Amino acid sequence: MKIMNAPWLIRIVVVLCAGLCAVRIQAQSVPDTSLDTAPSQSQTSSEVTDPGPSKSPDQDQRNQFVPALDGTGLVSMRTNHRFRFLAGETTTSGWDSNPENLPKGSASALYTVSPYFSLQASTNKTQYLLQYEPTFNFYSGYSGNTMQVASAKVLSSASDRLTWTLGLSGSHGQDSARLLAPTQSIPIGSVPGTGPNSSSYLPNAGTITNIDGSLDLHYDLSPKNFLGFDFANSFSSMPSLNQKNSVATTNLFFTHGLSPTLGILAYQQTSQYYGTLSCTTFGGGAGIRWQPLQSTMLVLKGGPQINAPICKSQQGFSYSVSLATKLSGKSQFYLLAGRQPVTGYLGPGLWEDSFSGGYHRQISSANVIVFDVGFVTSSTLKNVSSYRGVYFSSSFTHTLSRGLSIASSYRSYDESSGATGFNRNILLLSLIWTPNSRPPSQ
């Protein structure tokens, strides 16, 4: 392991002190107004649109949440703010066991800086949310790297029955830098969770570009029935690997509410792969949405998925399961599992099997502990090696004052592709500044 020299230590101390001073000055001048967020702590960019607590399971998109790019939880799209600009920063120092992602890599000390900018606005019928966060990583023994992440979301009620949502997110930089950035959550109802993208990155792909777009339509046929249409497209460019991968997926579904807590659904799903891999898949199935308690939501769906002959391999079936529950006023738990079309940034493949879960607990008014685990594996094609990634993280966050927290975390990642693989362990100590928002411990 290479020990951080004096100049690097001085840099870290200066950055931490500067951030702390800026926070103290800002805290005295900022009024006590809260950003609309879900009451929980935490993420392509991927997103789950299953409903949180509501009056009936058919209110699928009436109260959407969006992951905050700074890793502090979920932002509600239902806001009364006409216009609000937010800025924050996460400054981190720590240790990385394998920055170069090698089978037997050397460790290094590190520090990262992640400024955060957000703009939220609304009209009588439409809500807007723009976010941007770059992450700059510096090492004592290696050259640094960066990752730029941005997202945009628009939620609008075209009429009393029709609601539409438009989403766009993108990232550009070294894909392995994501492991050092603030944890990106995804909304599982109103509970923040860690999706399969936390368990997957391409360590030697060089500078990559990922762009994800989505359009969701929700139409109420009656108080108990609604139609939905989702379109999503994932694009990834990896010049170092000479690859451009894209997956476009459409879903058409119908939901019927049997009771205020139980709904059944039927769906049709089509995926088109283009770029390095050309393939078309068709499928459909059924499922349930069950909300046995106000703070618990279970969504289960699945069915056959048939690939066209050009794919040269069969997926067979697809499914997705999500469970989110608040065990008490101070703890929450979630599970995600699925067999779905492969994410574009994993390279050319047909489908992926994934699992993730986590437990969050507020152990006091100022302290929170979080545990997350994730697993993903992709299909094997003749010209592409299979992929497997396992992720684990734990963190402890202490709120120093309103909008200012300090967090210690451990992250572990194990990856294999074909006959090669590596593991990576990271220890981090972070100062998190989130002015004008609720503390991360809530």
Side-chain angles (χ1 to χ4, degrees), residues 193-194 332-336 355-360 370-373:
T194 300
Q332 53 196 23
F333 171 78
Y334 74 90
L335 283 175
L336 287 174
F355 167 84
S356 60
Y359 175 75
H360 303 181
V370 177
F371 299 94
D372 293 298
V373 63

Side-chain angles (χ1 to χ4, degrees), residues 86-360:
L86 300 175
E89 182 180 344
T90 299
T91 304
T92 301
S93 62
W95 173 83
D96 190 335
S97 69
N98 190 6
E100 293 191 319
N101 307 295
L102 299 174
K104 295 182 179 180
S106 299
S108 173
L110 65 92
Y111 76 87
T112 74
V113 178
S114 299
Y116 171 73
F117 306 96
S118 172
L119 177 64
Q120 191 169 22
S122 67
T123 64
N124 292 335
K125 293 186 176 182
T126 306
Q127 289 78 41
Y128 307 87
L129 178 64
L130 304 176
Q131 299 183 88
Y132 171 66
E133 182 177 62
T135 296
F136 305 94
N137 300 322
F138 306 91
Y139 289 95
S140 62
Y142 303 94
S143 58
N145 52 41
T146 64
M147 172 62 75
Q148 316 280 333
V149 181
S151 70
K153 195 82 170 183
V154 181
L155 173 64
S156 181
S157 298
S159 67
D160 292 339
R161 291 190 174 190
L162 178 62
T163 302
W164 61 267
T165 307
L166 182 66
L168 182 65
S169 62
S171 60
H172 177 78
Q174 299 287 327
D175 198 33
S176 59
R178 289 192 292 115
L179 199 59
L180 300 177
T183 302
Q184 297 298 299
S185 60
I186 63 173
I188 309 166
S190 61
V191 173
T194 300
N197 62 338
S198 64
S199 307
S200 57
Y201 71 85
L202 298 176
N204 301 312
T207 300
I208 70 172
T209 301
N210 298 317
I211 301 175
D212 298 297
S214 63
L215 172 64
D216 304 329
L217 301 176
H218 173 114
Y219 185 76
D220 290 325
L221 298 172
S222 70
K224 291 186 177 181
N225 302 308
F226 77 82
L227 283 174
F229 173 79
D230 300 338
F231 171 78
N233 189 87
S234 172
F235 168 80
S236 296
S237 175
M238 310 172 197
S240 297
L241 301 180
N242 195 29
Q243 292 183 7
K244 291 184 177 181
N245 308 301
S246 297
V247 183
T249 301
T250 60
N251 280 278
L252 178 65
F253 54 93
F254 169 80
T255 298
H256 172 68
L258 297 175
S259 71
T261 62
L262 179 63
I264 57 174
L265 64 91
Y267 72 91
Q268 187 276 330
Q269 176 175 284
T270 301
S271 296
Q272 176 66 53
Y273 302 76
Y274 57 98
T276 305
L277 176 67
S278 179
C279 174
T280 303
T281 73
F282 307 91
I288 63 170
R289 298 173 184 270
W290 184 38
Q291 189 176 0
L293 301 172
Q294 180 70 16
S295 59
T296 301
M297 174 64 72
L298 172 65
V299 181
L300 171 64
K301 61 181 180 179
Q305 193 76 17
I306 308 301
N307 298 343
I310 193 175
C311 303
K312 299 181 181 180
S313 180
Q314 288 295 330
Q315 180 174 344
F317 67 97
S318 67
Y319 73 92
S320 66
V321 180
S322 67
L323 171 65
T325 181
K326 295 183 179 180
L327 303 175
S328 66
K330 296 184 178 181
S331 63
Q332 53 196 23
F333 171 78
Y334 74 90
L335 283 175
L336 287 174
R339 180 179 175 88
Q340 296 293 328
V342 73
T343 306
Y345 53 71
L346 282 183
L350 289 180
W351 63 88
E352 65 183 35
D353 295 287
S354 62
F355 167 84
S356 60
Y359 175 75
H360 303 181

Side-chain angles (χ1 to χ4, degrees), residues 16-141:
L16 288 173
C17 292
L20 181 59
C21 292
V23 171
R24 294 300 184 187
I25 295 173
Q26 182 72 12
Q28 296 176 4
S29 61
V30 174
D32 188 16
T33 54
S34 298
L35 175 68
D36 292 315
T37 53
S40 52
Q41 190 269 349
S42 168
Q43 334 310 201
T44 251
S45 318
S46 64
E47 186 171 314
V48 175
T49 58
D50 294 326
S54 59
K55 293 182 179 179
S56 62
D58 64 346
Q59 294 175 302
D60 187 36
Q61 297 175 346
R62 300 303 186 181
N63 191 16
Q64 287 199 7
F65 294 98
V66 177
L69 294 186
D70 63 352
T72 56
L74 304 177
V75 180
S76 173
M77 290 297 291
R78 296 298 185 182
T79 176
N80 294 324
H81 298 301
R82 291 294 182 179
F83 182 87
R84 167 165 286 188
F85 175 76
L86 300 175
E89 182 180 344
T90 299
T91 304
T92 301
S93 62
W95 173 83
D96 190 335
S97 69
N98 190 6
E100 293 191 319
N101 307 295
L102 299 174
K104 295 182 179 180
S106 299
S108 173
L110 65 92
Y111 76 87
T112 74
V113 178
S114 299
Y116 171 73
F117 306 96
S118 172
L119 177 64
Q120 191 169 22
S122 67
T123 64
N124 292 335
K125 293 186 176 182
T126 306
Q127 289 78 41
Y128 307 87
L129 178 64
L130 304 176
Q131 299 183 88
Y132 171 66
E133 182 177 62
T135 296
F136 305 94
N137 300 322
F138 306 91
Y139 289 95
S140 62

